Amino acid sequence: MKNILICILILSTSLFATQARVESMGKRSAFFLDDVSIFENPANATFYSRSLIGELGFYQQNSLGPQDVGYSKDPFTPWFGALFKYGLSEGGTRDPQITFGGVFGREHYNFTRFVPRKVVVDGDTVAVPQTITNFDAFLAGTMMDGSAIGAHVYVGIQEGKQDHASADPAQGTIAPNAHVSILSMDYGANFLITNNTSIELTFGIARIQYGPSRRTFLDPGLFSFYSQGRTFLDVNAIGGQFVTGYKLAKMEVPGWQEKYYGLNTGLNVAISRGFLWIGIDGILIEETVGTWDKETKEGETYFVYREPGSHEIFSTDNARRFGGIVSFGIERNVLGKWLTIRAGAQKSFMYNECTKNSERTNICPDRIDGHIGQSGNFWSTNVYSDGTLDDNIGFGIGLNIDNKLKIDAALAEDILFRNPFQGTGRLVSRISAIYTF
């Protein structure tokens, strides 16, 4: 009964995956077990229950200006945390156990992308502050057979102050009517269903609010629901696992609703001195957007939400996207076990059906002839090379020190094409680490 558990434990201890590893090796972690998955399934925290994890942050290509050189600015959104274990077994075995811990400073893009930069109410514009607390708490436990359950809470809040671009926390403007709060809670399980099959399930709820208007906790239009799961089936013929999964989400904030449906299937295989995975996803996304608009200032594009009046009737724009993603990742040790080279890629093919009923610029591109309120159909794909987690190619390295400290770096994709005597751009975009004790 414990064959699959032993396999999972081997993968989880020998193939720790940080965000930098995921970014450089296919940009997705849907088809293998990794420590990043604790944010998607808190039950997986039991596999990393004695560890320190964190990230120095990341640089997005040209995010600091057209040269992106010579700036003395730290990388964006560094974070750190730890997981601890309390054993409940009197015989010295691994299970049962309790895992607890927390993470400070990690940004959850799946939530923050629904927070506008500004809100307009009765003609007054209020800047929405960034979340400050940004804390993740984990509590999980295992049973005698190694099956695990867990809970995870995320809290991101700021109130009463608008930040300036300066890194000095004393800078800013007192603004009692400015606030933002993101609260989420999810529950997960990881358990055996046969001798060679395990399954993961997660169910969660989130509440996203931003001001100046205040709403009661149970007001409609503020709650989002999401669920995802995957099944790992050991396949001896390939020396790896066959993986299938799903993801469902209904994300909702005032004036914006998104429904996400996803199914995927893939393989992960242990190769000589390395690891390989490949997968394909089928995706359907439906969006309805009301009084949101895009603004561009100094080359940066961001969202603005205009709160409608009590008797105002406004039109909505609708979009429907469906298609797939093909992705793969590979890594191989090149100098013993302490140096690893990684590479990967993803390519999406999405067919877009967009109906634009308003004169706002949000989810539907403008027509070249200027007509409003007509449908437009077109194909789209992920960007090729903007240095983000959504672009096409990834490349990176990893250092392994005594199987205790593992440091991963996502490298700039053009690093091999650069003139070493010309200091342009950055060589590394993200650095993550995990230490087990």
Side-chain angles (χ1 to χ4, degrees):
M1 285 294 293
K2 293 192 176 183
N3 290 342
I4 183 66
L5 174 62
I6 293 173
C7 181
I8 289 176
L9 289 176
I10 292 174
L11 285 173
S12 64
T13 55
S14 63
L15 294 174
F16 284 105
T18 62
Q19 185 64 47
R21 177 176 182 253
V22 171
E23 182 171 334
S24 58
M25 194 176 69
K27 303 181 179 292
R28 309 186 64 247
S29 60
F31 303 104
F32 57 95
L33 190 66
D34 57 273
D35 69 316
V36 180
S37 71
I38 67 176
F39 298 100
E40 299 177 347
N41 184 352
N44 289 347
T46 58
F47 295 129
Y48 312 95
S49 54
R50 297 177 60 185
S51 62
L52 304 175
I53 55 178
E55 185 173 295
L56 291 179
F58 71 95
Y59 285 108
Q60 185 171 318
Q61 182 175 331
N62 294 329
S63 57
L64 302 179
Q67 299 297 324
D68 202 10
V69 170
Y71 288 85
S72 58
K73 181 176 177 61
D74 288 343
F76 299 110
T77 60
W79 59 272
F80 67 95
L83 295 172
F84 303 94
K85 167 187 172 182
Y86 181 76
L88 301 176
S89 172
E90 297 180 356
T93 59
R94 175 184 180 272
D95 303 307
Q97 63 164 293
I98 294 176
T99 298
F100 60 94
V103 168
F104 295 94
R106 189 176 188 272
E107 182 182 29
H108 289 252
Y109 175 72
N110 191 45
F111 301 139
T112 58
R113 65 191 180 95
F114 292 101
V115 178
R117 181 74 59 85
K118 299 177 182 178
V119 175
V120 180
V121 181
D122 296 330
D124 296 328
T125 300
V126 176
V128 178
Q130 292 183 332
T131 55
I132 298 299
T133 55
N134 293 338
F135 175 66
D136 295 84
F138 296 90
L139 178 62
T142 61
M143 305 175 190
M144 289 296 296
D145 66 349
S147 299
I149 57 174
H152 163 233
V153 176
Y154 168 69
V155 179
I157 297 174
Q158 173 61 305
E159 186 171 355
K161 178 174 173 285
Q162 297 172 359
D163 295 321
H164 287 174
S166 170
D168 184 353
Q171 299 296 316
T173 303
I174 298 298
N177 60 350
H179 73 97
V180 60
S181 67
I182 303 176
L183 309 173
S184 73
M185 175 178 290
D186 46 66
Y187 302 90
N190 189 325
F191 54 92
L192 307 173
I193 55 177
T194 68
N195 287 347
N196 61 349
T197 306
S198 69
I199 189 169
E200 293 184 12
L201 292 173
T202 307
F203 301 92
I205 183 173
R207 182 183 185 273
I208 304 173
Q209 183 181 354
Y210 37 82
S213 297
R214 307 278 178 163
R215 301 172 186 267
T216 63
F217 187 80
L218 296 178
D219 276 356
L222 300 177
F223 285 94
S224 301
F225 303 90
Y226 50 93
S227 174
Q228 58 188 19
R230 53 183 179 174
T231 300
F232 293 89
L233 173 64
D234 281 353
V235 181
N236 294 330
I238 63 173
Q241 295 177 316
F242 176 68
V243 186
T244 59
Y246 78 91
K247 182 176 180 181
L248 303 173
K250 180 184 177 183
M251 309 300 294
E252 187 170 6
V253 295
W256 188 351
Q257 184 182 97
E258 177 187 280
K259 297 179 181 178
Y260 183 101
Y261 310 89
L263 294 174
N264 58 51
T265 185
L267 300 171
N268 65 62
V269 181
I271 61 176
S272 175
R273 301 172 61 187
F275 181 71
L276 167 70
W277 67 265
I278 186 170
I280 185 170
D281 293 69
I283 297 173
L284 169 63
I285 303 174
E286 297 177 341
E287 288 183 280
T288 300
V289 178
T291 55
W292 285 67
D293 204 348
K294 285 182 180 179
E295 290 189 2
T296 300
K297 184 177 181 180
E298 298 179 353
E300 182 184 13
T301 300
Y302 53 84
F303 280 113
V304 176
Y305 170 67
R306 181 172 59 86
E307 189 169 295
S310 57
H311 300 290
E312 182 179 1
I313 299 176
F314 58 91
S315 55
T316 60
D317 296 337
N318 303 282
R320 187 172 185 265
R321 291 174 284 162
F322 57 92
I325 302 175
V326 178
S327 52
F328 80 93
I330 186 171
E331 67 177 4
R332 195 174 192 276
N333 297 330
V334 292
L335 290 176
K337 293 184 178 180
W338 68 271
L339 180 61
T340 302
I341 299 294
R342 303 186 178 101
Q346 64 173 348
K347 178 68 173 179
S348 68
F349 303 89
M350 302 295 293
Y351 188 73
N352 298 256
E353 299 175 346
C354 202
T355 302
K356 188 169 184 179
N357 299 313
S358 71
E359 297 184 1
R360 294 178 292 274
T361 302
N362 40 53
I363 57 175
C364 296
D366 290 328
R367 289 174 60 97
I368 193 171
D369 57 9
H371 283 87
I372 301 297
Q374 299 187 24
S375 299
N377 301 334
F378 56 94
W379 287 92
S380 64
T381 187
N382 55 311
V383 293
Y384 286 107
S385 57
D386 68 347
T388 69
L389 189 59
D390 294 324
D391 69 4
N392 199 275
I393 298 293
F395 180 57
I397 60 173
L399 298 177
N400 180 355
I401 302 173
D402 296 330
N403 280 330
K404 291 290 187 180
L405 175 62
K406 301 191 178 184
I407 303 174
D408 298 319
L411 304 180
E413 288 87 347
D414 64 346
I415 187 172
L416 299 179
F417 298 88
R418 292 185 180 181
N419 181 345
F421 303 102
Q422 183 180 4
T424 59
R426 297 185 183 273
L427 302 179
V428 177
S429 61
R430 188 186 300 267
I431 296 180
S432 308
I434 180 170
Y435 175 77
T436 59
F437 53 89

